[in-house]
């Protein structure tokens, strides 16, 4: 993209950038907030970018973090563009007008993708509609996979989360020049981005940087360190190198990505297994983020908007015919889900009583969705002294089998359901009135802290965004969630080979389920 000499110019802490005026808003893309994380900086915490002279062109998206492509089964639904280059710690800003006097609300977007895929360049995440409606929108790239979340004995944990923290610092120090108010910042993320946002609002170092947070389909959580270590050790075994950052830094990037994809192919939310995740590090994540927020020690005064999609699990199971595979496995799949959720027979029996007409795959999917999402978010809303608002996205995709699946709400939040990349998941004909309702709620929340419905209280109000006019339901699926409170839990095995604890037959079922589903994927 050629530089536009008439484009808006803003001076940042490290140099001036020139953006573009597009459809009535000013856009600045690919602004570095940290130095390229390669060479001697590989697997290290982010460092400030080098300053530059003159005016840097900010017309095109910057490089994306190294990542493996989606499998063919998932690529038909999810867009994930790749921009080559080392300078991948960059961000984008959409603003109504880069006027330091404007003091507009700011929304900072963290993309999802299981901490292994995704970027700020996905067209669905375009921030123009937020800027159109008076909110400065910032979207962030951060390190992914083993580069961002590998756990090594010779490097600090969570470099990808530290990237996000560096971006938040950049926003606090710089966004005023783009027309934003650094005292009115809403941190928003979906899936892995929501998990990241939850960890960041709980971090002691971010106090004063965030006023509100939106957690879409992802609770605050910390992964078990051994689970992440197993990913690194399995990669190291395949590569025939020590499981150290020093050794991994010598490996060709493409080979590292191929190895990561092979080792992590069964790390889905339903199947569990070793995966990359945020871990306790004694610093940015000193304790479990969910527990810190529930205890009221962290994020005091931060308003929360949290929710899920009705059929999260369908994005995990429909691609590649996995939904049918789980139904065929029947009791084995159900036993695997019990092990995944650490519960006994009482919980699936209760789901069967509440949903007698449904198949095994839906029971498994709803159990895992409740375990991973609804229950943690309910607990957080119940316990926090601050204000929380909950929603459920229930509009079904026009594509067969997907229902109201994971990530489907994004085109509605960004009012981008009309872009082709959104239609890959939603199909054609997404209702504009639902886009208007959901996007307006996010704009209102970023601006005022009130999305337009009543806050969480003892009646459990949940805003339902589905077919027809959005409405409030009181305690949707409370009966299902109540099943968990009385059910005894089954301990999780310490490792894939440690099945001595009670529930060994469930862990064995998980292995059988993984083998079966792995065969279906390939």
């Amino acid at each position: 993209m050629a530089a536009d000499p008439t484009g808006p110019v803003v001076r940042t802490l490290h140099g001036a950038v020139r953006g573009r005026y597009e459809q009535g808003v000013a856009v600045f893309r690919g602004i570095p907030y940290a130095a390229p994380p390669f060479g001697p900086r590989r697997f290290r915490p982010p460092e400030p970018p080098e300053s530059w002279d003159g005016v840097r062109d900010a017309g095109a998206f910057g490089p994306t973090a190294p990542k493996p492509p989606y499998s063919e089964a998932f690529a038909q639904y999810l867009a994930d563009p790749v921009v080559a280059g080392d300078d991948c710690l960059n961000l984008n800003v959409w603003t109504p007008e880069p006027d330091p006097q404007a003091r507009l609300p700011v929304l900072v977007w963290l993309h999802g993708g299981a901490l292994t895929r995704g970027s700020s360049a996905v067209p669905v995440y375009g921030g123009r509609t937020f800027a159109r409606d008076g909110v400065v929108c910032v979207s962030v790239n951060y390190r992914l996979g083993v580069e961002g979340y590998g756990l090594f004995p010779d490097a600090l944990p969570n470099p990808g989360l530290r990237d996000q923290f560096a971006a938040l610092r950049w926003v606090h120090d710089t966004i005023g020049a783009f027309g934003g108010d650094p005292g009115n910042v809403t941190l928003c993320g979906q899936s892995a981005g929501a998990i990241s946002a939850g960890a960041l609002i709980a971090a002691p170092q971010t106090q004063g940087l965030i006023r509100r947070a939106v957690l879409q389909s992802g609770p605050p959580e910390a992964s078990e360190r051994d689970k992440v270590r197993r990913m690194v050790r399995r990669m190291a075994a395949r590569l025939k190198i020590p499981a150290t950052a020093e050794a991994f830094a010598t490996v060709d990037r493409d080979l590292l990505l191929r190895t990561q994809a092979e080792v992590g192919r069964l790390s889905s939310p339903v199947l569990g297994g070793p995966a990359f995740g945020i871990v306790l590090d004694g610093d940015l994540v000193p304790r479990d983020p969910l527990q810190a927020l529930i205890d009221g020690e962290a994020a005091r005064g931060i308003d929360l908007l949290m929710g899920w999609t009705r059929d999260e699990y369908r994005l995990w199971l429909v691609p590649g015919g996995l939904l049918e595979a789980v139904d065929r496995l029947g009791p084995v799949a159900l036993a695997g889900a019990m092990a995944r959720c650490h519960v006994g027979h009482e919980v699936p029996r209760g789901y069967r009583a509440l949903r007698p007409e449904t198949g095994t795959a839906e029971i498994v999917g709803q159990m895992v969705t409740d375990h991973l999402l609804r229950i943690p978010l309910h607990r957080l809303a119940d316990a926090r002294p601050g204000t929380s608002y909950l929603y459920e996205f229930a509009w079904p995709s026009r594509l067969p089998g997907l229902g109201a699946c994971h990530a489907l709400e994004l085109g509605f939040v960004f009012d981008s359901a009309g872009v082709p990349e959104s239609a890959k998941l939603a199909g054609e004909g997404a209702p504009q009135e639902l886009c208007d309702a959901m996007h307006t709620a996010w704009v209102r929340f970023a601006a005022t802290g009130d999305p337009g419905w009543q806050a969480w209280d003892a009646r459990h109000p949940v805003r339902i965004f589905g077919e027809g006019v959005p409405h409030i339901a009181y305690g949707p699926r409370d009966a299902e969630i109540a099943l968990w409170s009385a059910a005894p839990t089954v301990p999780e095995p310490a490792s894939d080979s440690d099945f001595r604890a009670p529930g060994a037959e469930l862990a064995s079922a998980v292995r059988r389920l993984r083998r079966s589903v792995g065969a279906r994927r390939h």
Side-chain angles (χ1 to χ4, degrees):
M1 182 182 293
D4 179 359
T6 66
V9 174
V10 170
R11 179 162 294 280
T12 75
L13 293 177
H14 302 101
V17 292
R18 187 187 304 277
R20 303 286 188 276
Y21 284 112
E22 298 176 5
Q23 296 179 276
V25 305
V27 187
F28 301 80
R29 299 182 177 91
I31 304 172
Y33 65 84
F38 300 107
R41 302 188 189 93
R42 201 170 183 191
F43 300 107
R44 304 300 175 191
E47 298 178 8
E50 291 187 12
S51 297
W52 58 87
D53 297 323
V55 179
R56 181 184 182 117
D57 184 54
F61 286 113
T64 53
K67 55 189 173 178
Y70 281 116
S71 68
E72 184 177 345
F74 282 90
Q76 64 179 312
Y77 297 115
L78 301 171
D80 198 11
V82 172
V83 181
D86 286 354
D87 206 357
C88 61
L89 300 186
N90 59 71
L91 50 76
N92 318 295
V93 180
W94 288 262
T95 177
E97 182 63 42
D99 179 1
Q101 305 302 315
R103 307 286 290 184
L104 295 169
V106 179
L107 184 141
V108 177
W109 172 250
L110 302 178
H111 67 81
L115 298 178
T116 58
R117 295 176 175 87
S119 79
S120 66
V122 174
V124 178
Y125 309 153
R128 183 192 67 83
T129 54
F130 279 101
R132 175 199 68 194
D133 296 329
V135 175
V136 177
C137 184
V138 181
S139 61
V140 178
N141 280 339
Y142 53 93
R143 278 175 282 183
L144 302 169
V146 71
E147 301 274 3
Y149 297 91
L151 187 56
F152 301 100
D154 55 338
L156 282 175
N158 302 322
L161 189 71
R162 296 173 191 276
D163 295 343
Q164 296 167 358
F165 173 56
L168 276 175
R169 291 290 325 176
W170 185 97
V171 169
H172 180 78
D173 295 338
T174 311
I175 203 64
F178 291 84
D181 180 358
N184 191 8
V185 172
T186 296
L187 182 61
C188 182
Q190 185 268 345
S191 194
I195 293 170
S196 302
L200 288 168
I201 62 174
Q205 296 91 327
T206 65
Q207 305 313 300
L209 302 182
I210 305 164
R211 178 65 186 85
R212 303 179 184 92
V214 183
L215 309 182
Q216 299 176 215
S217 299
E221 67 177 23
S223 295
E224 295 183 14
R225 293 174 69 92
D226 187 58
K227 191 173 184 178
V228 179
R229 277 199 196 97
R230 292 205 304 273
M231 276 291 285
V232 172
R233 288 170 180 166
R234 290 178 182 184
M235 290 182 66
R238 286 183 180 239
L239 294 165
K240 297 180 171 55
I241 60 173
T244 64
E246 181 181 18
F248 270 62
T250 67
V251 178
D252 173 76
R253 254 183 264 173
D254 289 339
L255 175 59
L256 204 60
L257 290 176
R258 289 197 301 272
T259 306
Q260 176 184 302
E262 291 166 2
V263 169
R265 64 189 178 88
L266 297 183
S267 300
S268 84
V270 173
L271 299 176
F276 292 113
I278 296 165
V279 298
L280 302 188
D281 58 21
D283 175 24
L284 197 59
V285 192
R287 60 175 302 200
D288 180 79
L290 179 61
Q291 200 58 51
L293 292 168
I294 286 174
D295 291 347
E297 299 176 8
R300 289 186 178 273
I302 291 182
D303 303 321
L304 294 181
L305 172 58
M306 307 181 290
W308 50 81
T309 70
R310 185 190 62 198
D311 308 312
E312 299 273 3
Y313 65 94
R314 287 184 172 269
L315 185 62
W316 309 327
L317 293 181
V318 168
L322 302 186
L323 197 74
E324 294 82 359
V326 171
D327 267 335
R328 282 197 302 273
L329 286 165
V332 172
L334 205 56
M338 289 159 59
R340 178 76 179 96
C341 300
H342 320 310
V343 295
H345 293 277
E346 296 83 357
V347 169
R349 195 174 296 132
Y351 277 72
R352 282 286 189 204
L354 291 168
R355 300 166 173 266
E357 76 289 352
T358 58
T360 299
E362 184 168 348
I363 297 296
V364 166
Q366 292 293 358
M367 278 179 58
V368 173
T369 298
D370 285 344
H371 170 67
L372 295 178
L373 294 174
R374 294 193 189 97
I375 290 173
L377 295 180
H378 268 241
R379 288 181 61 208
L380 181 53
D382 279 337
R384 287 195 78 247
T387 305
S388 299
Y389 300 88
L390 268 67
Y391 73 89
E392 177 175 289
F393 183 81
W395 182 82
S397 170
R398 303 299 192 205
L399 299 180
L402 288 179
C405 67
H406 190 68
L408 181 59
E409 89 282 9
L410 292 171
F412 296 82
V413 168
F414 280 87
D415 190 11
S416 59
V419 305
E421 292 78 6
S422 182
K424 289 181 69 170
L425 197 59
E428 300 296 335
Q432 183 58 46
E433 59 271 21
L434 186 56
C435 289
D436 294 340
M438 205 164 191
H439 176 72
T440 298
W442 265 240
V443 169
R444 283 188 53 162
F445 183 74
T448 69
D450 179 358
W453 64 89
Q454 69 189 86
W456 185 260
D457 58 22
R459 295 175 295 171
H460 292 184
V462 178
R463 185 73 155 181
I464 307 297
F465 292 97
E467 301 276 16
V469 178
H471 62 281
I472 291 290
Y474 292 92
R477 296 200 173 86
D478 273 6
E480 291 175 3
I481 291 175
L483 293 169
W484 300 73
S485 61
T489 59
V490 176
E492 181 177 16
S495 70
D496 283 354
S497 59
D498 183 6
F499 299 126
R500 295 168 294 178
E505 72 281 2
L506 300 187
S508 176
V510 169
R511 288 186 297 185
R512 293 165 63 194
L513 179 59
R514 288 177 186 162
R515 284 197 296 270
S516 174
V517 173
R520 290 286 300 178
R521 284 188 170 184
H522 293 270

